[in-house]
Amino acid sequence: MTHRIAVIPGDGIGGEVVPAAIDVLDALDPAFEFVEGEAGDHVLTERGEALPEETYELAAEADATLFGAAGETAADVILPLREAVDSFANVRPARAYPGIDAVKPETDLVFVRENTEGVYSGIEDHITDDVTTLTRVITEDASRRIADFGFEYAAENGYDDVTVAHKANVMRETDGRFLEACEAVAEERGVPRTPDGASGEAVSEGIEFDDALMDALAMHLIMHPEDYGVVICPNLAGDMLSDLAAGLVGGLGLLPSANVGPDNALFEPVHGSAPDIAGEGIANPAAMILSAAMMLEHLDYGGAADRVREAVEGVLEDGPRTPDLGGDASTDEVTAAVVDRL
């Protein structure tokens, strides 16, 4: 079976790292049909809309989508694209790699972020000249769905520890509902709470879970990331905490992500469009290539996904490396090194 992949480079370095991922995929056995779509700042300038309808439909109808980055029009591009693939979960792994100067080399985390509501629901109002409001939406169904996904992800990927991030002591109604829904799913799945004083470490066979106030969790992640595995988060908290974790492992250039729906998914690096280095040919392609590996796994090419990850890890350890990782290699040179290892 040939899978049809929507390819949307977008803005900035998206146009450099997406071709790198395609080169890597072309070096593998699975055959793909790549169909490119336009989106982003330049499309808004040229066509008056950042995300043309045909690009939205391309993502909705493809087997999966590879997306690069969006600049100023990010909210007008990536949020509708996540909607196009019916994404409810944003999965962001953050792990340290051999050979990379990481602040915390023991880091191996996965943030499972609710992707449909929270403060990103887009419900904002201009009440008066001096007053604006933002409505935060948290529903029982979405909270239970992301909790179930997070616990299942932990079980399937060998993580013993699940942490539910929240701020229910202040946002009692919204985060209170989120926390209660996660606790209910844990009870239904037979997942016990981590005993007090266990510092987030599993003390029995199987998965255990705990909850943590998101501000305190930010501190503990920096101090002891080894105590955490899968972190289930509301939308904004997942966005912020995963970027924080990027600082522990060597930067945003190493973080892939997946936007997962029931039958479709979109894969993108976390780093954004990086306009300061766009066009210079020095963007780190690792996050985009690792996002492509997540796509391979989603499409049931687990062996190919493992090969890609091993090749990327080998290049990260031995070089060549792009300037963000202390090297002087170009995007093309790093990509060629990954392909050579394949």
Side-chain angles (χ1 to χ4, degrees):
M1 175 182 178
T2 299
H3 287 97
R4 191 168 188 258
I5 309 300
V7 177
I8 307 172
D11 296 314
I13 63 172
E16 300 166 52
V17 297
V18 169
I22 300 301
D23 286 346
V24 170
L25 292 171
D26 281 340
L28 298 169
D29 293 331
F32 298 104
E33 176 191 359
F34 298 108
V35 184
E36 187 164 327
E38 292 186 321
D41 297 354
H42 66 289
V43 182
L44 176 63
T45 300
E46 295 168 2
R47 302 181 53 174
E49 54 182 350
L51 181 66
E53 181 64 25
E54 61 265 29
T55 303
Y56 181 97
E57 293 298 329
L58 174 64
E61 296 171 3
D63 294 308
T65 296
L66 289 176
F67 175 71
E72 295 298 321
T73 56
D76 300 315
V77 174
I78 189 56
L79 296 183
L81 283 176
R82 289 171 179 167
E83 177 188 271
V85 302
D86 198 19
S87 167
F88 65 89
N90 183 219
V91 183
R92 292 187 173 188
R95 57 175 297 228
Y97 295 98
I100 300 301
D101 186 17
V103 174
K104 291 288 186 176
E106 61 272 34
T107 304
D108 184 2
L109 302 165
V110 180
F111 295 89
V112 174
R113 167 189 170 199
E114 205 289 317
N115 216 21
T116 67
E117 50 187 34
V119 295
Y120 288 2
S121 300
I123 307 173
E124 295 187 88
D125 287 304
H126 195 123
I127 304 299
T128 70
D129 289 343
D130 300 323
V131 179
T132 54
T133 63
L134 170 66
T135 300
R136 187 169 192 258
V137 178
I138 300 291
T139 66
E140 180 78 11
D141 288 346
S143 300
R144 289 181 62 88
R145 182 168 60 172
I146 197 64
D148 201 54
F149 181 92
F151 284 117
E152 186 66 24
Y153 184 95
E156 291 181 352
N157 291 276
Y159 287 94
D160 295 328
D161 304 308
V162 175
T163 303
V164 177
H166 65 93
K167 191 66 176 170
N169 62 329
V170 175
M171 295 180 284
R172 295 172 181 170
E173 294 298 325
T174 51
D175 266 19
R177 178 178 295 276
F178 183 81
L179 175 58
E180 289 172 4
C182 292
E183 290 173 330
V185 170
E187 183 176 358
E188 291 166 9
R189 297 178 68 96
V191 178
R193 219 177 235 286
T194 303
D196 290 341
S199 301
E201 298 178 1
V203 293
S204 66
E205 293 184 4
I207 300 170
E208 294 178 345
F209 90 101
D210 205 349
D211 67 275
L213 297 174
M214 61 181 71
D215 49 346
L217 178 59
M219 178 190 71
H220 289 298
L221 285 172
I222 291 174
M223 297 176 66
H224 299 290
E226 71 278 5
D227 287 346
Y228 300 92
V230 172
V231 183
I232 301 173
C233 308
N235 207 329
L236 177 60
D239 201 2
M240 298 179 68
L241 291 173
S242 59
D243 277 15
L244 177 147
L248 301 178
V249 302
L252 288 171
L254 297 173
L255 263 64
S257 77
N259 298 280
V260 180
D263 302 306
N264 202 343
L266 179 147
F267 302 85
E268 59 174 326
V270 177
H271 54 57
S273 63
D276 55 324
I277 61 168
E280 296 183 18
I282 57 171
N284 185 351
M288 187 73 243
I289 296 173
L290 291 169
S291 296
M294 295 181 77
M295 183 192 77
L296 288 168
E297 200 161 48
H298 172 75
L299 295 174
D300 293 327
Y301 295 114
D306 289 341
R307 289 180 59 205
V308 171
R309 290 192 187 99
E310 289 170 5
V312 171
E313 290 175 17
V315 172
L316 289 174
E317 183 171 12
D318 300 332
R321 302 190 188 106
T322 46
D324 62 306
L325 298 179
D328 58 6
S330 68
T331 306
D332 289 345
E333 288 169 337
V334 172
T335 304
V338 173
V339 171
D340 285 344
R341 284 180 177 265
L342 289 172

